[in-house]
Amino acid sequence: KSFAETFGEDLFVDFFFKSKKVGFYIDVGCNLPKTGSLTYSLYKKGWKGIKVDISKRSIKLNKIHRKRDINLNISVGDNECIVDSFIFYENCSMNTVNKKFSKYTEESVNKKPKTYKISQKKLDSVLRENNVREIDYLNIDVEGADYKVLEGLSFEKFKPELICIEIHDKEIKKNKIFKFLENKNYKLIWSGVFSHLFKIN
């Protein structure tokens, strides 16, 4: 069963990790604990990890339904600061800290977002503060700010075996995320409509 609902990305992730009973994931932009989650099926198998979202309600729900996980109501990016978060409604999958993307969403949903200040950390800081040494699976879905999440991770220290990230460009190989991951020795192994999976070589 796919909990991702839309494109079934989690089915591929499950297959990729079929022989790994227990592992550790990082889910940046986790949204709901079950519906639409690309880590819930792994959680059901016994995995645990760190989940992050800019929606307070998302994190409250995750704390209730995903008790093994560390659930953080922060933004993750390329620097440590206070940023604006654009919340269209709680648990909206298109909430973002990217102002340009928020304008696109505003037109799509015909609704203006509420703007809140939120703490932003680098992924390195989140991992250090929670004593994380290894990452099996890194999922990033932060609506236009995905590249900045990658920039805040020390790939020479942390080398996730599998990364799922959104790329909205039609020519994927020309996208800066693709080039960044290729430079870090990752290979594209699966593509959905927006989500793409990269495996370390």
Side-chain angles (χ1 to χ4, degrees), residues 160-174:
E161 190 174 349
L162 186 69
I163 297 174
C164 182
I165 193 164
E166 286 198 345
I167 297 175
H168 291 262
D169 293 347
K170 289 183 179 179
E171 295 188 62
I172 298 169
K173 292 185 178 181
K174 292 183 179 180

Side-chain angles (χ1 to χ4, degrees), residues 103-115:
K103 295 295 183 185
Y104 163 78
T105 302
E106 188 176 323
E107 294 176 5
S108 298
V109 301
N110 195 28
K111 178 182 173 67
K112 288 187 177 295
K114 290 183 179 179
T115 305

Side-chain angles (χ1 to χ4, degrees), residues 91-141:
N91 303 127
C92 174
S93 62
M94 297 178 80
N95 291 334
T96 183
V97 295
N98 183 307
K99 190 171 184 178
K100 184 178 178 181
F101 197 93
S102 75
K103 295 295 183 185
Y104 163 78
T105 302
E106 188 176 323
E107 294 176 5
S108 298
V109 301
N110 195 28
K111 178 182 173 67
K112 288 187 177 295
K114 290 183 179 179
T115 305
Y116 301 96
K117 298 292 182 183
I118 192 168
S119 174
Q120 179 172 280
K121 294 183 178 182
K122 290 183 179 181
L123 196 48
D124 274 356
S125 296
V126 175
L127 300 177
R128 183 181 65 252
E129 290 168 7
N130 291 282
N131 301 311
V132 177
R133 297 187 180 183
E134 290 186 358
I135 307 168
D136 296 299
Y137 174 45
L138 172 61
N139 182 62
I140 304 173
D141 183 2

